[in-house]
């Protein structure tokens, strides 16, 4: 007869079976049996104690984004679980595979308003890919395998397992489970050959094709496949915020970044191309601007693995459902090797205009206070453009994503869909565990850093080599920028009275340096990158700088402001 | 685009929590559910949801796509009234003394092809099946005599006029794929 084990022990074995070796978590009453089981698995399951449950999920997200594996967070019931909701919603919007395990009161107490009881499945269902309550120990193996299968397959996303206390303590005969099929869920839909042919024909007939790459390219591990297609047909492309590292920044066909604060050329040319090829992106409003005037002149081909994205925001001509690792090569095979030299050359005047009016000023100021753009560019160069960029949300994020350069895949970790301030620091911690051989640089503002500042404790304990660049302008900069543009400079609660961040870093034993003068910047960056372990580089940034160019919300995609 | 009454026919696995996931798709997009019926379907293990709501066609498409995206939902489709057979049922409790006093009451019941399922000295129970308008007409006419004590109308149920059973075909196809894995 098989040995009897607890549901908590079954959870450990099921996690190991799924290949988990790193967990981000925080213990509490209703998850204690699981933490007790974890005590015997410390060698195989490296548990990182965070300082707040939100941090556990963001760290799991950072881990997942850079490693391509499923991130895992484990927390207790009630407030422990509700603290994870922001991370779950963030992972849902940004298609990040994470599994969140929450403790829950015993089945007999459910619905009685027991201590630390919250309807976790009810709360997380609308914001997760799947949310399930484990009520019996015998369900553990099945539920964990199903959770990881759902999280990582198809369009990835967050899964929540609500683990009742009785299911953690019950004794069962453990039988491992392997779920790789769910009849109501088809993550690998078969390719439609006709739409592949139609797409290839449209590409072959196009004189002015333009490709938009999203994170789907990276999630599908199709970077090489997409590159091969674009090179064969000489199609210029631009990326969404989350797709920036799909193909290296210096690729000759790379025209830059899409979106509200993206590059001028790609945004203008969206409304001039005759064919738009969208790959693994979802036409977010921050990318499209006014939908009524968006790419109306062009035919649109949309590659996606999620059928609900087709025609959701933008009416498309050809939908190609499936894994882009399969669908893109199928199209590549049918497209002609061709050139679009004059069309590609058409991007250049816009790039030059943007450089002269915006980029040069942002990255090479001669006097005045430090600017975010120059700090970002210097750090990117100092890492040979090989570092992983993690950002918080706001001006820091836009400047960082614009001026960082990418040479390797899986190099951007940022909160795109729901824009979570406080995401950066814990996500960067997770990234150091997901990619231990790479340099991880996180850019934060003085607002966002304080939202998850307690994770300095995690960095201290783990000696996690996070390079934190605090772009401090003593303002909630992005909101201030909008107030100056759209609310008559009425700076309603955006000036920040800040603490001495260097002193806080010291309290957590994190090496730190503050740069006020431009002349010190290079030396400080060298010191940061040469320091073994974490480092806080605080840069005193000009207070009222603006992210440019900008497509004002709701404006046409080709109506970018280069100055305000 | 014009708002129309669409009937959404949805099949899911018989697991708890799906109903709230489905209704959340409507509420998030500010679409009000007019009627809802949930029961086991003819396919073992599959539950059938029949939901009516007013919206335009792009919204109907978006709703079905978002509902189908839920992991345990098997299929979701939307229909206009000419694509399906529809029915509702209703029960009316009416006062027996008024019915005996006013001969019109029995006449109305007969004209509308409704059935008397129970009579006692206090009240009679009447059952009427049909489409919404037939049922409301009967109710309005009876109500004008002052005899109605209680009235209840079910949600819409519907079956498709298609020659193929899409759910069964889908499941057969999926079972084939299961074997290939």
């Amino acid at each position: 007869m098989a040995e009897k084990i607890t549901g908590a022990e079954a959870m450990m074995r099921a996690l190991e079976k799924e290949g988990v070796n790193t967990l981000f978590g925080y213990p509490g009453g209703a998850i204690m049996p699981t933490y007790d089981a974890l005590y015997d698995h410390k060698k195989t399951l490296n548990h990182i104690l965070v300082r707040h449950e939100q941090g556990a999920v963001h760290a799991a997200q950072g881990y997942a984004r850079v490693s391509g594996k499923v991130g895992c967070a484990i927390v207790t019931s009630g407030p422990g679980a509700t603290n994870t909701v922001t991370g779950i919603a963030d992972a849902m919007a940004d298609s990040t595979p994470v599994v969140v395990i929450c403790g829950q009161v015993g089945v007999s107490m459910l619905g009685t308003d027991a201590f630390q009881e919250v309807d976790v499945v009810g709360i997380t269902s609308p914001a997760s890919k799947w949310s399930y309550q484990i009520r019996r120990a015998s369900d553990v193996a099945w539920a964990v395998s199903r959770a990881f299968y759902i999280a990582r397959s198809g369009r990835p996303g967050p899964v929540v397992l609500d683990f009742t206390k009785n299911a953690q303590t019950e004794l069962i005969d453990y039988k491992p489970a392997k779920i790789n099929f769910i009849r109501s869920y088809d993550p690998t839909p078969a390719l439609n050959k006709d739409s592949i042919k139609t797409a290839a024909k449209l590409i072959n007939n196009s004189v002015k094709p333009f490709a938009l790459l999203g994170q789907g390219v990276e999630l599908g591990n199709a970077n090489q496949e997409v590159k091969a297609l674009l090179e064969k047909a000489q199609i210029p492309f631009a990326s969404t915020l989350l797709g920036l590292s799909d193909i290296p920044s210096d690729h000759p066909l790379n025209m830059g970044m899409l979106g509200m604060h993206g590059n001028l050329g790609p945004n203008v040319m969206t409304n001039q191309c005759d064919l738009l090829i969208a790959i693994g992106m979802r036409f977010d409003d921050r990318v499209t601007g006014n939908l009524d005037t968006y790419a109306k002149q062009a035919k649109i081909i949309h590659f996606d693995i999620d059928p609900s994205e087709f025609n959701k925001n933008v009416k498309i001509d050809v939908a190609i459902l499936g894994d882009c690792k399969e669908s893109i090569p199928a199209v590549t095979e049918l497209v002609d090797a061709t050139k679009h030299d004059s069309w590609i050359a058409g991007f250049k005047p816009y790039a030059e205009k943007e450089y002269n009016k915006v980029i040069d000023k942002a990255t090479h100021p001669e006097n005045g206070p430090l600017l975010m753009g120059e700090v970002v560019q210097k750090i990117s160069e100092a890492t040979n453009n090989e570092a992983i960029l993690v950002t918080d949300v706001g001006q820091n994020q836009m400047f960082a994503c614009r001026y960082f350069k990418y040479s390797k895949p899986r190099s951007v970790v940022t909160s795109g869909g729901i824009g979570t301030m406080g995401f950066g620091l814990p996500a960067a911690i997770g990234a150091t565990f997901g990619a231990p051989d790479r340099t991880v640089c996180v850019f934060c503002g003085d607002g966002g850093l304080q939202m998850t500042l307690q994770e300095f404790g995690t960095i201290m304990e783990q000696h996690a080599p996070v390079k934190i660049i605090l772009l401090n302008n003593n303002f909630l900069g992005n909101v201030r920028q909008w107030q100056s543009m759209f609310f008559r400079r009425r700076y309603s609660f955006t000036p920040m009275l800040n603490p001495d961040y260097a002193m806080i870093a010291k309290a957590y034993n994190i090496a730190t340096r503050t740069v006020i003068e431009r002349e010190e910047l290079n030396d400080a960056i060298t010191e940061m990158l040469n320091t073994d372990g974490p480092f806080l580089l605080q840069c005193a940034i000009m207070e009222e700088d603006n992210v440019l160019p900008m497509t004002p919300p709701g404006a046409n995609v080709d109506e970018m402001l280069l100055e305000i | 685009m014009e708002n129309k009454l669409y009937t959404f026919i949805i099949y899911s696995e018989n697991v708890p929590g799906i109903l709230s996931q489905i209704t959340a798709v409507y509420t998030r997009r500010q679409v009000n559910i007019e009627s809802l019926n949930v029961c086991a379907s003819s396919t073992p293990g599959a539950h059938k949801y029949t939901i009516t709501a007013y919206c335009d066609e792009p919204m109907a498409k978006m709703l079905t796509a978002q509902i189908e995206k839920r992991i345990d939902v098997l299929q979701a489709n939307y229909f206009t009234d000419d694509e399906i057979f529809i029915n509702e049922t209703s029960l009316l409790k009416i006062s027996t003394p008024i019915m005996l006093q006013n001969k019109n009451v029995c006449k109305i019941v007969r004209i509308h092809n409704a059935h008397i399922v129970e009579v006692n000295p206090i009240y009679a129970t009447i059952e009427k099946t049909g489409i919404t308008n037939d049922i409301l007409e009967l109710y309005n006419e009876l109500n004008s005599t002052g005899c109605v004590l209680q009235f209840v109308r079910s949600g819409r149920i519907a079956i498709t006029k298609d020659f193929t059973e899409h759910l069964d075909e889908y499941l057969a196809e999926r079972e084939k794929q299961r074997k290939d894995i």
Side-chain angles (χ1 to χ4, degrees):
Chain A
M1 201 174 127
E3 92 187 285
K4 295 253 184 208
I5 61 167
T6 63
E9 172 63 22
M11 174 63 77
M12 297 302 113
R13 295 188 192 183
L15 291 175
E16 285 168 357
K17 188 166 185 299
E18 291 300 328
V20 175
N21 53 31
T22 309
L23 294 163
F24 302 91
Y26 203 103
I31 196 73
M32 281 181 68
T34 300
Y35 268 83
D36 188 60
L38 183 59
Y39 202 69
D40 293 327
H41 289 258
K42 281 195 286 190
K43 281 193 184 140
T44 45
L45 296 170
N46 182 22
H47 178 271
I48 314 301
L49 177 68
V50 294
R51 295 304 188 264
H52 185 282
E53 290 89 351
Q54 183 186 352
V57 188
H58 291 331
Q61 289 178 271
Y63 175 90
R65 293 266 279 269
V66 301
S67 69
K69 295 198 282 186
V70 179
C72 196
I74 180 162
V75 302
T76 192
S77 67
T82 54
N83 281 343
T84 65
V85 172
T86 302
I88 292 165
D90 193 286
M92 188 68 176
D94 286 350
S95 312
T96 310
V98 291
V99 170
V100 178
I101 300 157
C102 309
Q104 179 58 284
V105 301
V107 164
S108 62
M109 313 267 281
L110 285 170
T112 65
D113 301 327
F115 178 65
Q116 292 192 331
E117 185 207 353
V118 158
D119 179 5
V120 171
V121 171
I123 289 172
T124 57
S125 264
S128 63
K129 198 170 168 188
W130 187 53
S131 186
Y132 183 76
Q133 189 170 63
I134 303 175
R135 302 195 185 105
R136 297 178 303 210
S138 53
D139 276 355
V140 170
W142 171 84
V144 170
S145 182
R146 200 177 199 256
F148 278 80
Y149 173 63
I150 290 171
R152 70 163 75 93
S153 61
R155 178 178 178 176
V159 170
V160 178
L161 291 175
D162 192 29
F163 198 11
T164 60
K165 202 160 183 183
N166 59 290
Q168 297 175 47
T169 52
E170 279 165 17
L171 289 170
I172 46 153
D173 298 319
Y174 177 69
K175 274 197 242 80
K178 183 74 207 159
I179 304 289
N180 55 12
F181 180 89
I182 298 169
R183 72 171 184 169
S184 58
Y185 167 66
D186 186 4
T188 49
L191 287 188
N192 179 328
K193 296 233 167 68
D194 290 337
S195 45
I196 297 279
K197 279 185 202 152
T198 316
K201 207 168 151 192
L202 282 177
I203 294 173
N204 288 336
N205 290 337
S206 165
V207 183
K208 297 188 283 182
F210 182 40
L212 315 179
L213 312 187
Q215 193 198 192
V217 173
E218 216 151 68
L219 291 170
N221 293 313
N223 309 60
Q224 289 308 317
E225 287 78 1
V226 170
K227 193 164 142 241
L229 168 67
L230 301 177
E231 284 175 352
K232 185 175 181 188
Q234 284 294 300
I235 301 169
F237 69 90
S239 309
T240 65
L241 196 65
L242 270 60
L244 283 171
S245 62
D246 287 347
I247 295 177
S249 310
D250 61 1
H251 192 283
L253 292 170
N254 194 339
M255 300 300 149
M257 183 169 112
L258 296 165
M260 181 177 268
H261 292 297
N263 294 114
L264 179 63
N267 280 324
V268 171
M269 296 307 240
T270 299
N271 274 6
Q272 292 186 16
C273 66
D274 62 8
L275 178 67
L276 209 53
I277 306 158
I279 308 173
M281 58 84 74
R282 61 187 177 86
F283 295 105
D284 181 74
D285 57 87
R286 285 297 189 268
V287 161
T288 64
N290 181 6
L291 283 172
D292 295 334
T293 58
Y294 183 80
K296 290 293 173 196
Q297 81 295 343
K299 296 265 186 209
I300 301 179
I301 305 171
H302 192 176
F303 292 80
D304 211 296
I305 201 160
D306 176 358
S308 73
E309 288 301 340
F310 297 135
N311 294 306
K312 189 183 77 176
N313 296 336
V314 172
K315 181 108 183 51
I316 58 166
D317 297 281
V318 185
I320 298 187
L321 178 65
D323 185 341
C324 56
K325 198 165 179 77
E326 272 180 62
S327 57
I328 296 289
V331 173
T332 309
E333 207 173 297
L334 302 179
V335 303
D336 305 329
T338 180
K339 284 194 164 32
H340 298 102
D341 291 342
S342 65
W343 162 240
I344 293 168
F347 284 78
K348 211 173 165 197
Y350 294 106
E352 281 169 1
K353 191 173 171 189
E354 186 184 344
Y355 186 85
N356 293 330
K357 291 216 157 186
V358 178
I359 299 174
D360 193 34
K361 288 179 193 162
T363 53
H364 300 99
E366 279 160 19
N367 43 43
L370 284 174
L371 299 182
M372 294 192 192
E374 62 177 319
V375 175
V376 172
Q377 195 183 51
K378 286 224 158 81
I379 290 173
S380 182
E381 278 168 10
T383 66
N384 203 18
N385 301 328
E386 285 179 353
I388 289 171
L389 170 72
V390 184
T391 81
D392 209 74
V393 165
Q395 287 189 322
N396 64 84
Q397 174 185 36
M398 291 298 120
F399 276 113
C401 289
R402 278 180 61 82
Y403 295 114
F404 216 78
K405 296 282 172 279
Y406 315 92
S407 60
K408 293 179 173 176
R410 295 193 176 275
S411 294
V412 188
V413 181
T414 188
S415 169
I418 74 164
T420 304
M421 278 177 74
F423 172 85
L425 190 66
I429 295 171
T432 62
F433 286 94
D437 299 332
R438 298 184 64 186
T439 302
V440 176
C441 295
V442 54
F443 289 84
C444 297
D446 45 301
L449 182 62
Q450 288 194 79
M451 285 198 176
T452 46
L453 188 66
Q454 69 283 349
E455 300 308 335
F456 272 12
T458 312
I459 292 174
M460 171 181 69
E461 184 176 352
Q462 302 294 334
H463 203 62
V466 183
K467 309 300 178 191
I468 308 155
I469 301 99
L470 170 59
L471 302 170
N472 190 346
N473 57 6
N474 292 316
F475 260 112
L476 298 175
N478 216 29
V479 180
R480 187 212 53 75
Q481 178 174 343
W482 283 48
Q483 285 171 336
S484 80
M485 294 174 73
F486 312 120
F487 294 89
R488 294 178 286 131
R489 295 174 63 93
R490 285 154 56 90
Y491 291 164
S492 183
F493 299 97
T494 44
M496 293 290 275
L497 176 63
N498 279 312
D500 182 339
Y501 286 105
M503 207 183 263
I504 294 175
K506 279 180 200 144
Y508 283 97
N509 201 23
I510 296 172
T512 182
R513 180 162 170 183
T514 298
V515 177
I516 297 166
E517 300 300 329
R518 179 159 290 115
E519 296 71 48
E520 285 178 56
L521 184 59
N522 283 334
D523 187 53
I525 292 171
T526 309
E527 186 188 340
M528 172 178 80
L529 294 174
N530 287 343
T531 299
D532 187 28
F535 196 96
L536 173 73
L537 175 63
Q538 180 175 212
C539 299
I541 299 289
M542 180 162 101
E543 288 200 342
E544 297 192 33
D545 194 12
N546 294 316
V547 190
L548 288 168
M550 178 177 189
T551 311
N556 301 337
V557 68
D558 54 352
E559 291 176 350
M560 287 199 98
L561 305 175
L562 292 173
E563 52 203 346
I564 30 179
Chain B
M1 279 230 189
E2 188 197 357
N3 270 11
K4 267 203 279 203
L5 185 72
Y6 285 99
T7 302
F8 299 82
I9 298 182
I10 301 150
Y11 293 95
S12 84
E13 299 290 8
N14 182 16
V15 291
I18 309 286
L19 179 60
S20 66
Q21 291 181 39
I22 291 173
T23 54
V25 172
Y26 290 84
T27 33
R28 186 175 159 198
R29 290 166 184 83
Q30 304 172 72
V31 176
N32 194 19
I33 289 173
E34 296 291 323
S35 79
L36 182 151
N37 177 284
V38 188
C39 64
S41 77
S42 56
T43 306
H47 255 52
K48 179 171 177 167
Y49 303 69
T50 311
I51 297 175
T52 60
Y54 284 98
C55 60
D56 61 19
E57 194 173 8
M59 177 58 80
K61 266 190 193 154
M62 185 192 275
L63 291 167
T64 44
Q66 293 295 332
I67 290 166
E68 220 165 56
K69 194 166 161 175
R70 303 311 305 180
I71 299 291
D72 292 304
V73 170
L74 291 159
Q75 267 197 336
N77 286 295
Y78 65 91
F79 301 90
T80 50
D81 283 1
D82 54 333
E83 296 167 320
I84 46 177
F85 290 110
I86 50 182
N87 229 332
E88 282 172 22
T89 193
S90 65
L91 294 170
L92 295 104
K93 185 173 172 183
I94 62 173
S95 151
T96 306
I98 297 177
M99 180 173 74
L100 295 175
Q101 249 170 37
N102 185 343
K103 283 180 187 160
N104 269 340
V105 172
C106 280
K107 212 166 131 192
I108 294 167
V109 170
R110 271 202 310 280
I111 290 170
H112 283 271
N113 211 10
H115 306 287
I116 298 175
V117 288
E118 189 195 349
V119 187
N120 61 41
I122 311 294
Y123 66 85
T125 304
I126 292 167
E127 181 252 313
K128 163 73 187 166
T129 299
I131 59 171
T132 315
N133 281 349
D134 298 345
I135 292 170
L136 289 180
E137 256 174 47
L138 169 68
Y139 165 71
N140 288 335
E141 284 181 36
L142 285 177
N143 203 31
S144 66
T145 69
C147 70
V148 179
L149 301 170
Q150 284 183 42
F151 169 60
V152 64
R153 186 158 66 86
S154 75
R156 169 181 286 196
I157 53 171
I159 47 177
T160 58
K161 292 180 180 174
D162 248 345
F163 291 125
T164 45
E165 295 310 320
H166 294 287
L167 177 68
D168 293 341
E169 282 183 2
Y170 168 81
L171 290 178
E173 182 59 31
R174 292 294 291 149
E175 287 310 318
K176 237 191 279 168
Q177 289 166 1
R178 183 203 296 268
K179 280 178 197 129
D180 293 342
I181 286 173

